[in-house]
Amino acid sequence: MATDYPGLLLLSRNDALRAYVDLVLSERGIPVRHFDLAREGLFWLLDHTPRYVLLDQDLDVDPFAVAARIRHVRRLKEVPLAVLIEPTEKHRTTAEVVRVKAIEKPLTRDKLFRFLGLG
C-alpha cells in the first residue's frame, strides 16, 4: 500500500528550478521531493502518493510520456499533475492531448500557487 506524501513531487534536472520550488514551498510548509531522472521518480511513485506532481519539460525523457504513464495508475489519477513547458503552441497542444495542465516557463510564485490551489 502506498504512503501518502503531503507535498510536491518535482521531476527536473534543473538545479535552479528545484532550489526555487524548495524555497517558495518551504515558506508554506509544503515539502518537496525531487528527482533528476524520470525513472527514479516513477519508482518512488510505486510506494508513495504525493499531493501534487510537477514535471519539467527538460526531463531526461519526454515529460508528456511520463505524465501519461502516471495518469494510467488508478491511485494517481486524481493527483494534480502539471508539466512546466516553453510557451509554444506545440507544447500547449501536447499538454491538452495528454490531459495534463501546462504551466508556461518561467515558473513564478503565482503560477506555482495557482497550480497548488493556494493562490
Side-chain angles (χ1 to χ4, degrees), residues 6-21:
L8 172 80
L9 170 62
L10 173 63
L11 301 183
S12 175
R13 295 184 298 176
N14 185 322
D15 290 333
L17 174 65
R18 289 196 314 256
Y20 177 74
V21 170

Side-chain angles (χ1 to χ4, degrees), residues 66-84:
V66 174
R69 189 167 182 175
I70 291 170
R71 282 287 176 242
H72 279 78
V73 177
R74 180 175 296 151
R75 169 178 55 82
L76 301 173
K77 280 187 188 286
E78 301 304 317
V79 173
L81 188 145
V83 177
L84 189 58

